[in-house]
Amino acid sequence: MARTLIEKLWDAHTVADLGDDATLLYMDRVFLHERTGSVSLKGLEAAGRAVRNPEQVFCTMDHIVDTLPGRGDDTIMPFGKNFITTTREAADAAGITLFDIGDDRQGIVHVVSAEQGITLPGLTQVCPDSHTCTLGALGALAWGIGSTEGEHALATKTLAVNKPKSMRVTFDGALGFGVTAKDMILTLIGKYTASGGVGHAIEFTGPAIRALPQENRFTVCNMAVEFAAFTGVIPPDDTTLDYVEGRPYAPTGATWDRAVQYWRTLKADDDAAYDKDIAIDCTRIVPAVTWGTSPGHGSRIDGVVPDPSSAPNANTRSAWERALEYMDLTPGTPLEGLPIDAAFIGSCTNSRLSDLRDVAKVVEGRRVAEGVKAIVVPGSSQVKKAAESEGLDKVLIEAGFEWRESGCSMCFFAGGEHFGEQERVISSTNRNFENRQGPKTRTHLASPTSVAASAIAGSIADVRKLGQ
Amino acid sequence: MTLQMQKFTTLTSVAAPIMRVNIDTDAIIPSREMKGVTKEGLSVGMFANWRYTNVDARVEDPDFILNQASYRDVEILLSGENFGCGSSREHAVWALKEWGIRCVIAPSFGTIFYGNCVRNGILPVVLQEDTVKAFAKAMEDSNGTAALQIDLPDQNVMGPDGGQYTFDIAPADKEMLVEGLDPIGLTLKRDAEILAFQVRDKTARPWVYL
């Protein structure tokens, strides 16, 4: 019978059929961070259980650690140091590999997992972090779990999982100038809402996906969870293999050749059937920006703030009304030109070297508008180093951006650093929830180049107008 | 070793309607309320940005439903679609549980949140939006005195008007809740199968094994 890619990955990891669509799946990798992984490790310890295969478990410091230069264990976030030291002790006791503060492999979990070759095509991987779906871009079955499931994966090397339904999202056509992977995914979620993928595992496919460089593919899969999907996956191809080859934990020699042979089979059969099929015409996608407090509140950059009275139903109308109040926006206002207080470039969505190169191209020879706080946080210590060796840091700093150490930083407010009350921020991150980036802070999600163009303009801007 | 979890069989309680759609786990437990490497002490931070007019001083907002006398001790929440979307933080479930919530009824849930509920003795019930709205209206009309009766073994919710509404739940999730089973303990009983998989797999996919 013809199988989807997800079904192939599922079958390859089935330890036992538990009946009623539930499967005991083998977990190739577990990744942890100091925010939620620490709780998993402590919970396991309290239950008197051990990590079954510590050599396949990794941990990094990204969520709590400061991103200001000269950082250490002390954090601006109150009580933060405890997360860091507890994680370090627990990781050491469990015998797992930790990319600690100061280690040149440290960075945002989903950035470093790919960068180090820890995630490979065809693997299963979980992490107590919702954006683990990012790694589906390598053709891995990767998804976010809670800390208790984290304990399960650590102790048993498996998870009992209910099989999700299948969805194929085909991105047809080609992207126009100034349009990015971020605009693709924001457009999808904007069209089908933030619950559009609920209960489904998605295969992203089509010519526009195949044309994306590997780093941009991570951006698409990263936001599968904002679409309420179980995860998102992209079939591995030459682009994927070129990315993986030579990475520290990737196989070499004859083992590499064998792996490649297997990875070549990781695609849906031609006549595979999906529970749901969606197609998006990429020639019609323009830079996207959100206006509200859900990733589904997306608009074209040349659009206006919607009128709740035109909402498709009563729930949506009340959600829009509440969002407009929170965002302090009036229906009919053009999004382009809305004055901003801050611009943030970073996060597991958009902080990789190619993002920073694109941003540097936009801001080179220009200046961040007066009064706008503009920050760039590289996704990993490796990204930071590579960017500095190309001189990108100088371009960004000269333009007026702060240049930080790597980590999750101000993607979310955890009691430490944050954007100001009622400040309007344009951000390359993935969540525009109420209070996400600071108390009463108003977040507009966009691509990194849109964020850069807006920082220069001092207001939400259409990056295409800066020219080729 | 097998740990016992809190069992869920039947429950009768008033339900607090918080009928927004897409209530995310950042709203249920803001990141800054997760102050320690622990599953405890989180209920004080539950819905902090909505529940308090001054979060730091913990000044309650009397308009927020869970601050109102008739809804303070509810064990059921009603909400709009995609409840618990966003961050995987299990702290959202731990906070609800510590507060006393045993069941959430909504038209759909964030997937990770749903799984976290089941693993902590909280029953997530998916019902049609119209039904959830009707329950919410019954609560409002009765000033928080009407009760819902939930029967998990029968997969049934009885509304205040006596109407019966069945719901779906995966058998494994139901069993975990009804029996209060510890899933890790259960899986560890399959150790031989896991080991056999590993032995086969090491030959088939040697590159996986670091």
Side-chain angles (χ1 to χ4, degrees):
Chain A
M1 202 181 119
R3 292 183 299 166
T4 65
L5 170 55
I6 301 271
E7 282 167 333
K8 289 184 182 181
L9 296 173
W10 203 270
D11 292 348
H13 292 87
T14 296
V15 174
D17 183 346
L18 302 175
D20 304 305
D21 268 349
T23 311
L24 192 65
L25 280 185
Y26 189 71
M27 290 299 118
D28 294 318
R29 302 275 184 271
V30 181
F31 221 122
L32 305 171
H33 58 63
E34 82 276 33
R35 180 54 142 177
T36 54
S38 50
V39 195
S40 294
L41 289 171
K42 293 297 282 181
L44 209 61
E45 203 177 280
R49 288 171 172 147
V51 177
R52 188 180 168 118
N53 291 99
E55 68 282 6
Q56 286 150 41
V57 180
F58 295 81
C59 184
T60 188
M61 304 280 196
D62 57 0
H63 273 60
I64 304 278
V65 64
D66 282 349
T67 52
L68 289 166
R71 67 181 175 184
D73 288 357
D74 289 313
T75 62
I76 300 169
M77 176 196 156
F79 317 105
K81 186 176 184 175
N82 182 34
F83 284 88
I84 291 170
T85 55
T86 303
T87 302
R88 185 176 295 137
E89 285 159 16
D92 185 50
I96 66 174
T97 304
L98 171 68
F99 301 153
D100 207 341
I101 303 164
D103 189 312
D104 71 359
R105 299 167 297 180
Q106 177 276 341
I108 303 175
V109 54
H110 318 304
V111 176
V112 301
S113 187
E115 190 175 79
Q116 292 297 319
I118 293 165
T119 312
L120 300 170
L123 297 197
T124 47
Q125 179 161 335
V126 286
C127 170
D129 188 288
S130 59
H131 292 111
T132 308
C133 53
T134 308
L135 298 160
L138 288 169
L141 188 59
W143 70 98
I145 54 174
S147 299
T148 304
E149 277 202 284
E151 286 179 42
H152 192 135
L154 290 167
T156 72
K157 196 77 176 139
T158 65
L159 278 181
V161 197
N162 297 318
K163 199 170 183 180
K165 286 187 261 186
S166 61
M167 183 190 291
R168 178 170 55 188
V169 177
T170 307
F171 285 99
D172 286 317
L175 296 176
F177 166 72
V179 186
T180 69
K182 183 66 162 285
D183 303 307
M184 290 165 70
I185 192 70
L186 283 176
T187 300
L188 173 74
I189 303 171
K191 186 166 179 190
Y192 293 93
T193 82
S195 58
V198 72
H200 290 78
I202 300 176
E203 292 182 27
F204 292 109
T205 181
I209 291 286
R210 284 193 291 276
L212 284 179
Q214 184 57 44
E215 292 198 343
N216 301 137
R217 295 180 183 186
F218 292 118
T219 304
V220 174
C221 287
N222 174 269
M223 292 190 72
V225 69
E226 310 310 334
F227 196 43
F230 172 79
T231 190
V233 53
I234 294 175
D237 58 12
D238 287 342
T239 302
T240 322
L241 302 191
D242 287 348
Y243 175 90
V244 171
E245 192 169 15
R247 300 206 170 256
Y249 288 93
T252 54
T255 317
W256 168 263
D257 296 338
R258 263 191 80 184
V260 168
Q261 212 176 10
Y262 170 65
W263 293 339
R264 294 281 182 206
T265 69
L266 296 178
K267 56 187 174 199
D269 294 329
D270 286 341
D271 43 357
Y274 296 83
D275 295 307
K276 206 168 177 182
D277 227 334
I278 286 177
I280 300 266
D281 177 3
C282 288
T283 61
R284 299 180 62 172
I285 298 180
V286 300
V289 62
T290 62
W291 52 265
T293 54
S294 159
H297 294 165
S299 167
R300 299 167 56 95
I301 182 72
D302 53 6
V304 298
V305 175
D307 189 337
S309 69
S310 70
N313 54 53
N315 280 347
T316 309
R317 183 168 64 240
S318 59
W320 285 10
E321 281 165 357
R322 186 182 165 86
L324 292 191
E325 190 189 333
Y326 181 88
M327 296 296 288
D328 190 30
L329 292 172
T330 319
T333 310
L335 289 161
E336 193 181 347
L338 270 182
I340 55 165
D341 301 294
F344 181 81
I345 294 165
S347 86
C348 53
T349 322
N350 283 116
S351 62
R352 297 173 182 83
L353 186 60
S354 56
D355 292 323
L356 304 187
R357 283 179 182 151
D358 292 345
V359 164
K361 259 183 237 159
V362 169
V363 306
E364 186 156 30
R366 298 185 162 107
R367 284 288 305 169
V368 169
E370 190 73 26
V372 171
K373 182 184 175 104
I375 299 171
V376 178
V377 185
S380 72
S381 298
Q382 292 288 317
V383 168
K384 179 169 187 269
K385 197 165 109 184
E388 286 172 352
S389 77
E390 292 180 18
L392 302 181
D393 58 322
K394 288 197 181 63
V395 172
L396 292 164
I397 291 165
E398 273 168 28
F401 284 86
E402 274 184 51
W403 177 246
R404 295 285 189 105
E405 296 291 335
S406 113
C408 302
S409 195
M410 285 200 275
C411 174
F412 57 87
F413 166 50
E417 257 194 304
H418 59 85
F419 293 103
E421 275 208 16
Q422 289 159 355
E423 275 187 4
R424 193 174 297 286
V425 183
I426 188 160
S427 180
S428 78
T429 56
N430 42 45
R431 288 189 176 137
N432 51 355
F433 300 157
E434 290 182 14
N435 306 295
R436 171 78 178 181
Q437 291 189 292
K440 300 191 169 64
T441 298
R442 297 161 179 153
T443 300
H444 295 268
L445 304 176
S447 76
T449 44
S450 289
V451 174
S454 304
I456 303 297
S459 58
I460 294 180
D462 186 340
V463 64
R464 296 172 300 179
K465 293 184 180 169
L466 290 175
Q468 300 272 352
Chain B
M1 184 174 101
T2 302
L3 305 175
Q4 187 68 36
M5 312 230 301
Q6 193 173 9
K7 292 184 183 182
F8 191 109
T9 49
T10 60
L11 174 68
T12 302
S13 168
V14 176
I18 308 180
M19 293 306 291
R20 291 173 204 162
V21 297
N22 296 324
I23 292 182
D24 55 77
T25 53
D26 275 68
I28 299 169
I29 185 84
S31 198
R32 68 166 147 169
E33 300 291 343
M34 295 156 53
K35 292 172 182 168
V37 185
T38 171
K39 305 175 181 182
E40 281 148 17
L42 292 157
S43 60
V44 70
M46 185 184 75
F47 291 118
N49 290 317
W50 297 350
R51 186 167 143 204
Y52 303 114
T53 51
N54 181 330
V55 173
D56 295 328
R58 302 297 195 207
V59 179
E60 287 190 355
D61 179 351
D63 288 339
F64 185 65
I65 192 156
L66 295 176
N67 290 333
Q68 295 165 10
S70 18
Y71 293 102
R72 260 198 129 82
D73 300 320
V74 298
E75 294 176 86
I76 304 172
L77 288 185
L78 303 173
S79 193
E81 66 175 19
N82 208 19
F83 185 84
C85 63
S87 160
S88 66
R89 61 188 68 173
E90 198 163 328
H91 307 67
V93 171
W94 296 327
L96 292 171
K97 186 182 176 185
E98 192 176 84
W99 175 266
I101 300 298
R102 297 295 319 280
C103 171
V104 185
I105 305 178
S108 64
F109 289 90
T111 311
I112 306 171
F113 177 85
Y114 187 100
N116 288 341
C117 280
V118 170
R119 277 160 189 80
N120 286 279
I122 293 183
L123 171 66
V125 172
V126 176
L127 286 179
Q128 297 280 341
E129 189 186 313
D130 290 349
T131 308
V132 186
K133 280 187 170 167
F135 289 167
K137 187 166 186 307
M139 295 302 144
E140 282 152 13
D141 291 350
S142 70
N143 288 317
T145 58
L148 300 180
Q149 286 185 43
I150 294 161
D151 186 324
L152 176 55
D154 275 357
Q155 297 182 214
N156 181 277
V157 181
M158 188 168 83
D161 61 355
Q164 306 273 344
Y165 303 88
T166 55
F167 60 88
D168 288 333
I169 182 169
D173 291 345
K174 179 177 171 177
E175 192 188 358
M176 212 187 306
L177 284 160
V178 172
E179 303 293 334
L181 297 175
D182 162 35
I184 300 179
L186 279 183
T187 303
L188 287 172
K189 289 183 186 161
R190 294 179 175 271
D191 200 55
E193 280 172 89
I194 298 167
L195 200 60
F197 179 95
Q198 238 171 6
V199 169
R200 283 196 310 274
D201 195 43
K202 272 182 186 164
T203 318
R205 301 186 306 150
W207 59 89
V208 176
Y209 292 84
L210 301 172

